[in-house]
Amino acid sequence: MGQLLSTKDCSSLGPQECVDNMVLIFAATMFMYFEKRSTGFIKRMIFSPMFATHLLNDNKKRIAKRQVWQVTDYQPYFRNNLLRVEELLFVDWVFIPVVSNGHWWCYALKVCTQQCFVIDSLEKGIRGRAGIDKNNAKNIQRFWGLLTNTFEDSKIAFNVQQAKIPVQPNIYDCGVIMMKVFEMWNGEDKYDGKSMLDYSNVG
C-alpha cells in the first residue's frame, strides 16, 4: 500500500507517549486493506484523522469564511484505491477519529440504522468536546445529505450517543485504545454492559 512509518512515528507508541497522526493513518489503512484483501469488501471505513483536524480548524473561522463542503472534498481523507466516497453508503460502520489537546476519540456512524456514537476512553472527554460533537454532527449530516442526494438534515440520530467503553487507566493510551476500536468495536454491550473489554497497560 506504500505506507511507511518513520522511527519518530513509531516512537509515539512508546510508554507514556501520545500516538502520532501518522500511526493512526497507517493503522486505519492497514485494517481496511487487509479486510478488503480477505473478503473483497470494506465494511469498517475509517477516515483519516486529518479530516477532523481540518474541521476543527475550519470551525475556528467566522461562519462566513468556513468551507462549504461538497462530496469531492471528502475523498482526500481516504485512499482512492481502497474505497470511493460513494461506497460509504454500503459499509457497516464509518469511523471518524479526532485528536485535540493530545487526546484521541472518535465518532462511529452505523450506516444501516443511521445512528452516531461518540467513543471516548476519557469518562467526560476533554473540555469543549460538546461543541466539537455539535460541529462534527452538522458536517456529517451535510455529508450524508450530499451522498444520498437529499441535501437536507438526514435522519441520523445526532444526539451523539456515548458508547460504553472502559475508562483509560492513564492520560496517554487513548490512541492505542482507538486503534482497537477501529479493529473490533461494534456497538454491542456484551462485556459486563460495555462494548469493549476492560483495558490494561500492564503486559
Side-chain angles (χ1 to χ4, degrees):
M1 289 298 295
Q3 296 289 290
L4 296 172
L5 280 181
S6 70
T7 302
K8 181 180 177 183
D9 296 331
C10 292
S11 68
S12 76
L13 290 166
Q16 302 186 25
E17 295 287 339
C18 180
V19 173
D20 184 82
N21 265 347
M22 295 307 298
V23 172
L24 262 289
I25 292 171
F26 182 91
T29 303
M30 290 298 99
F31 289 149
M32 291 187 289
Y33 170 74
F34 284 114
E35 183 184 23
K36 189 169 187 178
R37 191 173 75 171
S38 63
T39 68
F41 303 97
I42 294 174
K43 290 297 184 179
R44 299 172 69 84
M45 188 275 160
I46 311 162
F47 267 89
S48 164
M50 300 299 185
F51 169 65
T53 299
H54 185 155
L55 284 184
L56 287 172
N57 291 332
D58 198 44
N59 286 326
K60 293 175 184 176
K61 301 175 184 176
R62 290 184 304 182
I63 293 176
K65 293 194 172 184
R66 292 179 188 173
Q67 179 174 344
V68 178
W69 290 73
Q70 303 301 323
V71 170
T72 53
D73 296 323
Y74 296 89
Q75 185 66 56
Y77 297 102
F78 50 96
R79 297 182 68 104
N80 285 354
N81 50 347
L82 274 178
L83 193 71
R84 295 292 304 165
V85 68
E86 296 82 4
E87 296 175 68
L88 267 66
L89 293 170
F90 308 104
V91 303
D92 292 337
W93 290 96
V94 176
F95 294 94
I96 302 174
V98 186
V99 63
S100 182
N101 294 330
H103 177 61
W104 285 100
W105 73 94
C106 80
Y107 302 98
L109 176 63
K110 188 173 184 178
V111 174
C112 65
T113 60
Q114 296 193 336
Q115 294 170 282
C116 190
F117 300 84
V118 60
I119 308 174
D120 194 334
S121 54
L122 282 183
E123 194 166 17
K124 296 183 179 177
I126 62 166
R127 175 182 284 184
R129 202 202 74 200
I132 297 171
D133 288 350
K134 183 178 178 181
N135 288 326
N136 277 313
K138 285 181 180 177
N139 186 281
I140 299 169
Q141 282 178 310
R142 175 170 175 78
F143 177 40
W144 221 250
L146 290 168
L147 274 182
T148 57
N149 295 315
T150 59
F151 295 96
E152 53 187 53
D153 284 350
S154 64
K155 297 176 183 177
I156 297 171
F158 276 114
N159 50 336
V160 187
Q161 304 165 63
Q162 182 81 31
K164 299 173 186 173
I165 68 167
V167 177
Q168 65 190 71
N170 50 50
I171 61 170
Y172 45 79
D173 277 344
C174 48
V176 173
I177 295 171
M178 283 305 104
M179 286 190 279
K180 292 305 293 182
V181 166
F182 302 154
E183 182 182 20
M184 64 171 286
W185 188 88
N186 64 8
E188 296 180 14
D189 295 338
K190 55 188 176 182
Y191 304 106
D192 295 325
K194 298 173 184 174
S195 50
M196 285 186 70
L197 289 166
D198 283 330
Y199 171 79
S200 171
N201 61 353
V202 178

